[in-house]
Amino acid sequence: MAEINFEEDQQDLIEKTDIQTLASYCQELQAFENEIETLEKQIKFKKEQAGKISSEIIPNMLAEQGLSSLKLADGSSIDVKKSYNCTIKKDQMELAYNWLRENGLGDIIKNEVAVQFGKGEDNKAEQLLSLAEQEGYEPTQKQKVEPMTLKALYRERVEAGLDMPSQLFNIFVKDQTKIGRK
């Protein structure tokens, strides 16, 4: 087997490559990366400003006039609707699942059970979870609630005059302005 000489291979590569061209592309890449970072910061700032106008300024101005929507002369419309958000606090996952079950809402929890099998054990993979446990395998269980399902549940509960425990869930309701264009 031939010995590989990395230093010679590297030297050959450098000789075959136009160093000036390589350096130029490296500088161009760095400039693009810097520009992308600047643009992302600008987008973040603009989203924050748009969010403030959408969730605070316009809803407050309309509310002062006793309005939740408005049709403009150019045919466009402004509607202020409630936006709901709810997520489970990471350190309260098990308690949140228990609360959902205790309140008759456990059916939104997805429950995945998996068992690891070795080669040639396809027939055992078809057995039920309880049989796998009897055979000495340790199944893993993964539970989750889809974010949009939890958000919809929270909206339904708020609209029905019910709430969810804030010590288990990150919850908030905010106004959101929608502009319908002609």
Side-chain angles (χ1 to χ4, degrees):
M1 188 161 128
E3 186 177 313
I4 299 173
N5 187 331
F6 290 109
E7 285 184 29
E8 284 181 21
D9 288 347
Q10 186 175 3
Q11 187 63 36
D12 289 345
L13 177 65
I14 290 173
E15 290 172 3
K16 291 176 186 173
T17 304
D18 181 349
I19 299 300
Q20 287 298 96
T21 303
L22 178 61
S24 174
Y25 278 123
C26 289
Q27 290 172 342
E28 187 176 1
L29 173 60
Q30 191 171 21
F32 278 128
E33 288 175 345
N34 290 341
E35 185 178 356
I36 289 168
E37 184 178 340
T38 299
L39 291 171
E40 286 174 343
K41 287 178 184 177
Q42 290 174 359
I43 288 171
K44 180 181 177 190
F45 175 76
K46 288 181 184 292
K47 282 183 177 182
E48 288 170 357
Q49 295 302 307
K52 183 175 182 171
I53 292 169
S54 172
S55 66
E56 295 176 29
I57 296 173
I58 291 174
N60 289 343
M61 290 180 76
L62 288 176
E64 287 172 6
Q65 301 300 315
L67 301 171
S68 63
S69 65
L70 187 64
K71 190 157 185 121
L72 302 175
D74 69 358
S76 60
S77 62
I78 300 171
D79 290 301
V80 175
K81 305 257 186 221
K82 296 286 183 200
S83 172
Y84 300 86
N85 199 13
C86 180
T87 59
I88 297 173
K89 291 184 177 180
K90 297 233 184 283
D91 61 342
Q92 299 294 323
M93 196 77 68
E94 194 58 38
L95 291 173
Y97 289 157
N98 290 340
W99 183 89
L100 288 167
R101 288 185 180 103
E102 290 165 6
N103 286 276
L105 305 167
D107 57 341
I108 72 166
I109 301 171
K110 288 189 175 181
N111 199 344
E112 178 184 303
V113 176
V115 179
Q116 299 276 327
F117 292 94
K119 290 182 180 179
E121 294 183 319
D122 289 341
N123 58 336
K124 288 184 180 181
E126 296 174 9
Q127 296 176 6
L128 296 173
L129 174 62
S130 61
L131 293 175
E133 290 174 341
Q134 290 173 10
E135 293 290 322
Y137 296 102
E138 294 184 19
T140 58
Q141 185 177 24
K142 181 180 174 185
Q143 299 178 15
K144 74 174 192 171
V145 176
E146 291 295 336
M148 295 304 288
T149 304
L150 187 60
K151 185 176 173 178
L153 171 71
Y154 178 57
R155 185 190 75 242
E156 290 169 11
R157 289 183 60 82
V158 169
E159 289 174 353
L162 303 170
D163 206 353
M164 294 175 75
S166 61
Q167 70 270 23
L168 304 177
F169 300 93
N170 296 311
I171 52 178
F172 70 85
V173 179
K174 72 174 184 176
D175 289 323
Q176 187 171 13
T177 302
K178 296 283 186 192
I179 299 177
R181 291 174 174 80
K182 187 174 124 181

